Amino acid sequence: MADTLLQDEPDETLTSHNYDGIQEYDNPIPGWWSWIFLGTIAFAPFYILWFHSPTVPRNLHAQFDAGKAANLKLQFGEIGTLEPTRENVLKYLHDDKWLAVGQSVFASNCASCHGQDASGGSSAPNMTDDFYIHVNVIDDIPKIISEGAKDGAMPAWGTKLHPNELLFAACYIAQLRGKNLPGGKAPEQNAKKIDPWPAADAAPTAGETK
Ligand code: HEC
């Protein structure tokens, strides 16, 4: 019976597929379908480059870190609003939980200029060496982040970040010091090597706090 029906369409070529007498015409794939398929192939390399961007991380790890940091921010109530003081930078300098927030702030706001691993970008300095342009003592770090520098080449973040985010970004940057990551940018000409950070319980020295 199938044969009789198929004979009504003599122009159509049949494939060799035959499932319980059900057969298939050898029709070409519609043009619109092929174009969409080719489109996905053309799109893929650009998407891969965008997704694995070296400046703004968008991969699963980065998304996980950002999600974790967002969750931690919900706990800001537990520590209150922290002032960007020397005591607070030293207090949270090695606190992994809150450093995760600092790292996330850095990844989404600072990495585009300072490099994903903070080892310096084309315009912005390396944060993993012992050389600094504006920083003389550890509490200068939150100050520079808040106020910016070089007529906005380093933007002012004081009004853009939550005070705790600013403090934890400062802690994150401070604890990167001296890691001297391979491939890091050489110190700027106007940068100088500064004294090591004080121990966490060190009392402020006269003239050092600003
Ligand atoms: C638009 C690019 C850009 C972005 C974004 C940026 N910075 Fe900077 N940053 C700079 C430049 C350029 C300098 C050096 C300024 C100079 O040469 O005086 C700098 C300097 C600094 C310094 C002082 C370094 C020193 O040697 O004294 C700190 C600290 C710093 N940035 C932290 C941050 C943090 C934290 C963020 C994110 C919240 C950030 N920056 C985002 C461009 C940027």
Side-chain angles (χ1 to χ4, degrees):
M1 156 120 184
D3 278 359
T4 348
L5 272 179
L6 288 171
Q7 274 160 15
D8 294 342
E9 315 258 3
D11 298 342
E12 302 285 353
T13 324
L14 282 171
T15 66
S16 56
H17 304 161
N18 188 332
Y19 305 99
D20 296 337
I22 302 173
Q23 288 178 281
E24 196 185 339
Y25 288 127
D26 190 10
N27 285 332
I29 285 171
W32 60 263
W33 195 96
S34 306
W35 282 113
I36 290 179
F37 180 63
L38 289 174
T40 60
I41 294 175
F43 171 78
F46 296 102
Y47 184 68
I48 289 173
L49 286 177
W50 179 84
F51 191 77
H52 293 285
S53 156
T55 44
V56 187
R58 297 186 176 91
N59 54 40
L60 279 181
H61 281 292
Q63 285 174 22
F64 175 79
D65 288 346
K68 196 172 78 178
N71 238 319
L72 278 170
K73 279 181 218 160
L74 297 177
Q75 300 172 39
F76 274 179
E78 149 196 327
I79 45 172
T81 301
L82 301 168
E83 293 296 318
T85 58
R86 165 199 178 98
E87 287 71 24
N88 279 335
V89 179
L90 291 173
K91 182 171 171 194
Y92 293 98
L93 190 54
H94 300 293
D95 186 327
D96 286 343
K97 174 176 165 183
W98 298 113
L99 283 178
V101 173
Q103 180 173 20
S104 158
V105 169
F106 184 87
S108 30
N109 301 292
C110 327
S112 52
C113 289
H114 287 278
Q116 206 172 336
D117 60 0
S119 68
S122 56
S123 66
N126 185 347
M127 296 288 161
T128 69
D129 56 14
D130 288 304
F131 292 81
Y132 294 85
I133 304 169
H134 303 283
V135 176
N136 296 303
V137 291
I138 199 164
D139 27 326
D140 288 340
I141 297 184
K143 197 168 157 228
I144 291 291
I145 300 174
S146 176
E147 294 170 8
K150 212 179 179 184
D151 293 331
M154 160 65 191
W157 296 92
T159 54
K160 294 182 203 146
L161 297 173
H162 185 282
N164 294 4
E165 290 180 300
L166 199 150
L167 174 72
F168 297 140
C171 297
Y172 176 70
I173 292 225
Q175 56 86 42
L176 287 177
R177 173 180 181 180
K179 292 202 189 289
N180 292 307
L181 297 183
K185 193 180 175 192
E188 281 66 20
Q189 290 201 322
N190 53 347
K192 71 265 164 214
K193 192 168 180 169
I194 61 171
D195 291 339
W197 304 143
D201 52 356
T205 323
E208 224 190 7
T209 32
K210 291 198 177 170

